[in-house]
Amino acid sequence: MLGGIALVVLLLKVFLVSSARVTTDAELSTEAGNSLSSDGELHTKTKSSNCDLSRYPQLEGRFENLVYAGKGANGCVVLANDKDNGNVEVAVKLSKKAGKLASWHSECEQSRSLHEKACTAGHEQLLLAERYLPICLEVGGTDDAPFMVMHAAGGKGIGAMRSKLRGEYRVSVFSQMVGALTAMHGIGLSHNDLHDGNVVILSKPGPLVAFIDFGEVETLKNANYGGGYKQDENLLARQAAKLADCPSEAQFPFNSEKTHDHHKQHTRKKALMTCLQDKWGKDEDEASFSDFLQALGAVVDEAYKHEHEHGKKHNHNYVTTTCVKTLYHTAFVQEHQPPLWSLFPAR
């Protein structure tokens, strides 16, 4: 399904291990010339220790327009046009050192399983997965030099991009985050690591959202409900407050203040609802916006309930779905979410 489809390019934390550090833009521009030739061909031997491309003779001649994009603890990534797949743009993750090919296969299969589960779940879930969740396309090589080809996706984390978003784009980005979370919760999975760097705003065509880095994905019943960025539902209240520029009393903690103070939670939730009504609700249909606030409030309450029960060593085997999907289907979210088209199609 890749042939002829123009994929969007994004920076590559999705392709690096979850603990990897991605280089800054300045570092990338400096190191790109050290790693790749100016005409985009693979070097026989690179001058940079970031990525020894001479270890991949089977890839030589396959890719064009190579651009060094980033590195992590165990791998580095180049963006390129793949002549084996209709010359579409892909991201190629290369190992910086010898590793076990089996683990790379496992990582790839985990990524692909998101789309497989979505396909089984039905048409809407597949549309959501192919819109919001980039996946692995191919894995190969040897134990000494494994490689992976993935959907290319380019942009920056919401933490770096939030201040650059204006007006309606902020509402759109929030609505897209609801869609992306529904892409996972709708098939019974939790991302489990939704900090600011793993919610990416694509660089083009416009402020589109994608989730990256699926190394900690779990079923909802096995997800982390300890609070902070490890808890999926916290994402929506936290980002709504920030995107709407709400006052401090409406801001939800990021990865601190692990508290079970019900009064404080209720006060914070009330302040958030009041802020959103003032900032986002003025020009909206009153009834539909009220439905939206009610659905978002249910997500906030559910997240608190899960976290509170986690503190009691509660068993979460009963969690097979969340209130996020109901929020996704509110008129307000549907109105402000761009059409669902396949940015990341399965092959």
Side-chain angles (χ1 to χ4, degrees), residues 13-16 91 93 102-119 125-126 128-130 132-139 148-153 183-184 187 189-191 211-218 344-347:
K13 194 174 176 185
V14 62
F15 316 114
L16 307 177
K93 176 181 174 181
S103 67
W104 286 57
H105 275 289
S106 177
E107 180 182 343
C108 185
E109 287 305 313
Q110 183 178 24
S111 171
R112 289 175 175 175
S113 72
L114 299 175
H115 283 220
E116 292 169 358
K117 291 178 183 295
C119 184
Q125 284 299 144
L126 182 59
L128 286 166
E130 293 194 338
Y132 291 113
L133 310 178
I135 60 170
C136 172
L137 303 171
E138 177 186 348
V139 65
M148 193 180 302
V149 180
M150 305 187 72
H151 280 134
M184 303 206 66
I187 54 176
L189 298 176
S190 170
H191 185 284
F211 283 175
I212 63 172
D213 196 348
F214 303 102
E216 297 189 35
V217 170
E218 283 282 3
F344 310 116
R347 290 207 293 181

Side-chain angles (χ1 to χ4, degrees), residues 130-258:
E130 293 194 338
R131 167 59 187 82
Y132 291 113
L133 310 178
I135 60 170
C136 172
L137 303 171
E138 177 186 348
V139 65
T142 64
D143 282 341
D144 289 335
F147 72 88
M148 193 180 302
V149 180
M150 305 187 72
H151 280 134
K156 294 183 179 180
I158 191 171
M161 292 296 294
R162 191 184 300 112
S163 63
K164 298 177 176 62
L165 298 172
R166 298 288 183 268
E168 171 63 23
Y169 286 134
R170 291 193 165 213
V171 181
S172 174
V173 163
F174 174 79
S175 297
Q176 291 177 67
M177 283 191 285
V178 177
L181 203 56
T182 304
M184 303 206 66
H185 286 206
I187 54 176
L189 298 176
S190 170
H191 185 284
N192 243 1
D193 195 16
L194 287 174
H195 56 74
D196 279 2
N198 284 342
V199 180
V200 170
I201 310 296
L202 307 186
S203 56
K204 56 183 180 181
L208 300 181
V209 171
F211 283 175
I212 63 172
D213 196 348
F214 303 102
E216 297 189 35
V217 170
E218 283 282 3
T219 61
L220 285 171
K221 69 178 182 179
N222 292 323
N224 190 312
Y225 295 107
Y229 71 86
K230 292 292 185 181
Q231 187 168 334
D232 285 25
E233 302 113 309
N234 284 355
L235 170 78
L236 299 180
R238 190 173 69 245
Q239 295 296 346
K242 291 181 179 297
L243 287 166
D245 290 326
C246 293
S248 58
E249 57 267 25
Q251 298 286 338
F252 280 66
F254 178 65
N255 58 357
S256 60
E257 195 183 350
K258 294 181 179 179

Side-chain angles (χ1 to χ4, degrees), residues 267-340:
T267 302
R268 185 182 290 116
K269 174 189 167 185
K270 183 177 179 181
L272 175 62
M273 300 299 127
T274 300
C275 173
L276 294 180
Q277 179 68 58
D278 179 57
K279 298 292 184 69
W280 289 355
K282 289 181 178 179
D283 299 323
E284 300 292 333
D285 176 79
E286 183 176 349
S288 64
F289 196 76
S290 177
D291 289 343
F292 161 72
L293 291 181
Q294 183 176 358
L296 178 59
V299 171
V300 173
D301 290 342
E302 184 175 56
Y304 174 77
K305 175 176 179 286
H306 289 162
E307 182 179 344
H308 183 62
E309 291 176 343
H310 175 86
K312 293 182 176 181
K313 306 299 183 184
H314 193 87
N315 189 324
H316 288 87
N317 285 337
Y318 69 93
V319 183
T320 58
T321 186
T322 68
C323 295
V324 172
K325 194 169 185 177
T326 300
L327 176 62
Y328 172 73
H329 285 114
T330 61
F332 177 80
V333 169
Q334 292 296 306
E335 177 185 352
H336 293 285
Q337 178 182 247
L340 297 177

